[in-house]
Amino acid sequence: MTAPVRFPRFFVTSPAPCPYLDGKTERKVFTELKGPHAEHLNEALGRIGFRRSQTVAYRPSCAGCQACVSVRVVADEFRPSSSQKRILKRNSDLVGTECRPWATDEQFDLLRRYLSRRHPDGGMSSMEEMDYADMVEHTPVSSYVLEYREPSRGGEPGRLVGACLMDRQADGLSMIYSFFDPEHESRSGLGNYIILDHIRRAATEGLPFVYLGYWVKGSGRMEYKVRYKPLETLGPDGWKRMDEAEQDALIKASIAPRREREGDTSRERADGEVTLFSAS
C-alpha cells in the first residue's frame, strides 16, 4: 500500500496596502515549498497562477478585486517589434551566463544601484546583503542567476550590467526578479533585453512559455508586460491567448501617457520601449 500524497496547507495573509493600485488593499494565499516534491508542486501551482518567493508559493486573493492577472509569453511564436529589434541589436554583444543560485557582492551592488534609481520608495529599497542572499539562495527548485556582462577585456570578466533570478520549469522559464544598471549611458532598454533574451532561450530549448508574473491593468509599473506578443492570460477557464486587437489597444494606451509625461514623440517610444522589470 502506497503512502498518500500530502496535500499542501494554504494560509492567507492579513490585508495590506496594494503596491499597484491606489486605495486598494491586497491579500495573498500562500503555501510552503518543501520536501522531495517541492519542484513538482511549484510547477503545478505555477500553472494556476502562483509565483515563488524563496520557499513560498503565493498568489493574490483580494476581496472584491481581480486586477492581478497571470501572464506568459508564447516563446516560439514571439516576433519582436521594431523597437525590440533595436534593443536586441544594441545589446547583442552582452554575454549571458547561467550561474548557480549564489549571491555575490557584485550582484548586490548592482541591485542597490537599480533600487535606488528605479524604486527608491519600494518595499525592497531597504534590502540588505543578507536579504538578497536569502532571496537568491533559499530555493527548493531549479533556479539560476542569469548574469549579463559586457565583453571581457584582458581575460577578466566583463562589467556586470544586468541579472535575473530565474526558475527553469518543465513548460518554460519563470522570471522571478531581474535588475540592471539604470544609468548605463549606451545601453538603454536593458530591462527589455533581459526579457527578450529569456524568450529566445526558452524557444531555443523548446520550452513553450516565459512566465512574467502578474499584469495589473491600470498600473503603470506593469504596463510593459502587454508589449510581448503573443501573450496568454490566466482566467477562470484557464489560460487563454489575449486577442491581438485588444493587446494592440492596450499597448497603444500604455504608450500615450508615457509620451505625454516625457514629451517624447520618437518612433522608438511609440513602438513601446520600456526599461522596467520588477518582481511580481
Side-chain angles (χ1 to χ4, degrees), residues 15 18 23 57 83 95 98 110 135-136 156 176 186 220 241 249 257 264 266:
C18 177
S83 72
V95 179
E98 286 189 11
L110 179 62
M135 182 178 80
V136 172
E156 295 294 324
I176 304 300
S186 61
R241 183 168 301 197
D264 189 343
S266 70

Side-chain angles (χ1 to χ4, degrees), residues 204-215:
T204 300
E205 295 180 30
L207 297 173
F209 307 111
V210 171
Y211 288 85
L212 297 182
Y214 302 115
W215 166 62

Side-chain angles (χ1 to χ4, degrees), residues 37-209:
H37 303 294
E39 187 134 24
H40 296 296
L41 176 60
N42 183 55
E43 292 194 8
L45 292 175
R47 294 188 185 101
I48 57 173
F50 279 74
R51 297 284 288 168
R52 184 185 70 82
S53 177
Q54 298 181 38
T55 58
V56 169
Y58 70 92
R59 66 168 298 169
S61 179
C62 306
C65 182
Q66 297 180 340
C68 292
V69 179
S70 296
V71 293
R72 63 188 186 186
V73 184
V74 183
D76 64 346
E77 296 183 40
F78 173 78
R79 299 295 181 270
S81 67
S82 56
S83 72
Q84 289 167 343
K85 289 179 181 177
R86 289 193 288 274
I87 292 169
L88 287 168
K89 182 178 180 180
R90 185 184 305 135
N91 297 287
S92 61
D93 63 328
L94 291 181
V95 179
T97 304
E98 286 189 11
C99 307
R100 62 176 182 157
W102 188 259
T104 68
D105 292 341
E106 190 179 20
Q107 293 168 9
F108 181 68
D109 289 342
L110 179 62
L111 174 66
R112 293 295 299 163
R113 296 201 306 274
Y114 170 79
L115 292 173
S116 64
R117 177 65 182 268
R118 293 303 179 96
H119 307 288
D121 300 320
M124 296 176 64
S125 60
S126 60
M127 177 179 281
E128 297 181 353
E129 193 165 4
M130 186 61 69
D131 300 319
Y132 174 67
D134 288 343
M135 182 178 80
V136 172
E137 298 171 14
H138 287 186
T139 171
V141 302
S142 299
S143 300
Y144 304 86
V145 176
L146 190 50
E147 291 188 341
Y148 294 89
R149 294 181 178 275
E150 294 182 328
S152 62
R153 295 182 178 180
E156 295 294 324
R159 175 184 177 186
L160 181 69
V161 297
C164 181
L165 176 61
M166 173 266 289
D167 291 348
R168 177 173 279 104
Q169 302 176 174
D171 68 341
L173 304 179
S174 179
M175 299 180 69
I176 304 300
Y177 194 85
S178 69
F179 50 96
F180 51 90
D181 187 341
E183 298 179 329
H184 201 300
E185 295 180 355
S186 61
R187 292 195 182 275
S188 60
L190 277 172
N192 272 302
Y193 178 78
I194 293 173
I195 299 174
L196 293 167
D197 184 64
H198 277 72
I199 297 172
R200 179 191 64 79
R201 288 171 181 268
T204 300
E205 295 180 30
L207 297 173
F209 307 111

